[in-house]
Amino acid sequence: MRRHLIVTYIAVVVLLLAGRYAWQNCLWEIMSSITAAAIVAAIIIIGWSVIRMRPEAGDEIMLRGELLATTRVALVVICFGVLIAGFGDVFGKWMFGCR
């Protein structure tokens, strides 16, 4: 669970820095690129245990305990990241404008 918090804090800090840069230079399109990179990195870090699983032919994978929590967090990160990457420039200009 500590890994999830670390990834969340890093992603928030990166997004805040990107937002500040976008606001200062009126380049809200940069949010899409940075958000996409942050989301990919977060998914790889959070879902590493799921990614490296190698089920045998015909095996069923049951998601229980920490593996289920990891998968849920990865899915939430994907959904949140897609929204920011897709609409970050529009909402950024609309809500914050430019310096």
Side-chain angles (χ1 to χ4, degrees):
M1 193 62 170
R2 192 172 77 193
R3 181 176 53 189
H4 296 169
L5 289 175
I6 291 170
V7 170
T8 302
Y9 291 146
I10 290 172
V12 167
V13 168
V14 167
L15 290 176
L16 287 174
L17 290 173
R20 171 121 171 112
Y21 179 81
W23 177 71
Q24 268 187 321
N25 298 317
C26 201
L27 294 172
W28 286 101
E29 296 79 19
I30 199 165
M31 287 296 288
S32 296
S33 302
I34 291 176
T35 302
I39 296 307
V40 168
I43 290 170
I44 289 173
I45 292 169
I46 291 173
W48 187 248
S49 59
V50 177
I51 292 170
R52 69 185 171 125
M53 285 181 68
R54 294 177 190 230
E56 299 298 323
D59 282 352
E60 292 183 17
I61 298 176
M62 301 299 280
L63 298 177
R64 294 186 190 128
E66 187 177 335
L67 190 58
L68 179 61
T70 298
T71 305
R72 283 183 181 167
V73 170
L75 289 173
V76 169
V77 167
I78 290 169
C79 293
F80 186 67
V82 167
L83 286 175
I84 291 176
F87 299 105
D89 56 339
V90 175
F91 288 136
K93 286 180 184 176
W94 177 68
M95 289 176 65
F96 303 109
C98 295
R99 182 171 182 214

